[in-house]
Each structure stands twice: as C-alpha cells, then as structure tokens.
Amino acid sequence: KAGVTQTPRYLIKTRGQQVTLSCSPISGHRSVSWYQQTPGQGLQFLFEYFSETQRNKGNFPGRFSGRQFSNSRSEMNVSTLELGDSALYLCASSLVPTPNTGELFFGEGSRLTVL
Amino acid sequence: AQSVTQPDIHITVSEGASLELRCNYSYGATPYLFWYVQSPGQGLQLLLKYFSGDTLVQGIKGFEAEFKRSQSSFNLRKPSVHWSDAAEYFCAVGPYSGGGADGLTFGKGTHLIIQP
C-alpha cells in the first residue's frame, strides 16, 4: 500500500513568488492535513481538509491556502513568498478527520527554500 | 490554548541503556496524546497514542508511555535502546475544541543520540 506522496520534494523560490505543493494521501484516506515545520517554531498546523471541505485552519496568514479534490488529493499554495516561509511542509492523511482515529500518516515533506 | 513542552532538546543515551523522554502538556479537557518519531529526511511516524482507559500504553518498536493526569505528563520510555532509535521525537496533544484551531499541537521535539 503506497504511503503519502508529496511533490515536489525540494524547491527553491524567490521572495514574492508563489508556490503550489501537492499531496496524494494513502488510498482510501479522505482527510488531509498540512503542517509547517521550521527549526524555530517547530511543527505548526496549517489546515485540514475532509471531503473537499476545509474543516480547520491554523493561525497562518491568508497567503496560505489549500484545497482538496474529489479524489482526496490536496494542494496547498503560498502566495507572495517571504523568507520566513522557508520550511518543511508536511502533509498527513487519515481515514477520517482528526482526532477520531488519532493516527496521521505523514509524507516525507516538501522542503521549500525562499531566497 | 493547548501547549506541549518537551524540556530536553537533546538526550544522549548509550546503546542498550534505558530511555525516558519527557513531555508535559497544557490542555483544558481530557487530552488526546501522541508520540511521533522523525528520522532524518523522513516524515513523522506514530509510535503510540492515548485516548482514554489504561494510562500505560504500548506502542511500536518497544516503546511505551504513561499518562499521568496529576502531573500533566505523558513520558515516553524504552527499556533498552538500539542505535536505530536515534531520531527526533515529538509529543503532541489534540485537538483544541474551545474555538481555536484544531489539529495537533506538537512539542519542539527531543533529539535522541545513541552512543555505541
């Protein structure tokens, strides 16, 4: 059974640009969550999607957005990139929304560097 | 708001020795508690979780954790560590249902180093 797949794994952007990250959940999983991981702030919750609807959103500015498609694949977008957006962006999937199962299956992440 | 504190940023343990990683949480209700492990360049893997019931929970890879409500703690233990246990360990609590953001709240992590 394939795990959570995130693309691209690495990318470099410059300030002011925008970026789109993709996440394919485990087959059958309908919930997708996104987290930002940085050395200073650690892991922070971005948002969660279930059945194409955003259930929850963390304390991030509106530049951070996401969506989920009918096949449960999800994308997140960051517009007008800032240096502080450099981070590892982790996607996690679960059968149903947290915390009902408690187990999030994480991908390996997309490492974004903003120059 | 909920929060998680992992007091030890780094811990060094000799291979074969016992391990305890500390985790303290702040939460307004009965928490859901988790321990995740992250190896270099990898995503996070769930080691164990506590929802309710028996306060001593068993996880994968020989890990266990004990929920102590009176101390607001959920410490992770392993009786004998292996070199392959070297990784970053994260304690997490969730969700917050008091009007704030949901999702898991993670501690800053403890970096485990195994000495031969």
Side-chain angles (χ1 to χ4, degrees), chain A residues 9 33-34 48-49 58 66 74 104 114:
Chain A
R9 290 291 313 279
S33 301
W34 288 89
E48 179 179 25
Y49 288 88
S74 177
L104 297 178
V114 182

Side-chain angles (χ1 to χ4, degrees), chain B residues 4-113:
Chain B
V4 177
T5 301
Q6 293 180 246
D8 304 305
I9 298 174
H10 300 277
I11 280 187
T12 300
V13 178
S14 297
E15 190 170 15
S18 64
L19 170 71
E20 182 169 29
L21 301 182
R22 296 183 291 165
C23 172
N24 293 98
Y25 66 89
S26 174
Y27 192 75
T30 301
Y32 297 151
L33 295 161
F34 311 86
W35 275 99
Y36 282 85
V37 60
Q38 185 178 33
S39 298
Q42 303 294 315
L44 279 73
Q45 181 183 23
L46 179 68
L47 287 175
L48 45 79
K49 62 187 177 186
Y50 172 79
F51 278 11
S52 63
D54 192 346
T55 56
L56 184 63
V57 294
Q58 302 297 321
I60 62 171
K61 304 184 180 185
F63 286 93
E64 67 177 26
E66 186 171 13
F67 170 58
K68 292 185 177 181
R69 184 187 301 276
S70 62
Q71 299 177 19
S72 297
S73 69
F74 189 57
N75 294 347
L76 182 71
R77 300 193 294 249
K78 186 170 185 177
S80 176
V81 298
H82 185 262
W83 64 266
S84 60
D85 293 324
E88 193 83 15
Y89 290 80
F90 295 93
C91 181
V93 63
Y96 177 64
S97 57
D102 280 344
L104 297 183
T105 298
F106 286 85
K108 292 293 180 70
T110 297
H111 184 60
L112 176 62
I113 301 166

Side-chain angles (χ1 to χ4, degrees), chain A residues 36-115:
Chain A
Q36 181 195 65
Q37 185 177 24
T38 60
Q41 299 299 316
L43 282 150
Q44 293 184 286
F45 171 71
L46 280 158
F47 24 66
E48 179 179 25
Y49 288 88
F50 178 73
S51 294
E52 303 178 66
T53 300
Q54 187 181 88
R55 290 188 69 245
N56 306 297
K57 183 174 169 63
N59 296 322
F60 280 83
R63 300 185 296 107
F64 291 81
S65 63
R67 58 178 176 169
Q68 187 180 33
F69 301 96
S70 59
N71 61 358
S72 294
R73 190 177 70 85
S74 177
E75 289 181 346
M76 67 162 284
N77 183 78
V78 188
S79 62
T80 320
L81 284 166
E82 301 176 359
L83 295 178
D85 297 333
S86 295
L88 181 67
Y89 290 88
L90 291 164
C91 169
S93 75
S94 59
L95 281 169
V96 293
T98 58
N100 298 317
T101 65
E103 181 157 14
L104 297 178
F105 293 83
F106 283 84
E108 295 181 331
S110 293
R111 184 165 295 282
L112 170 65
T113 301
V114 182
L115 302 177

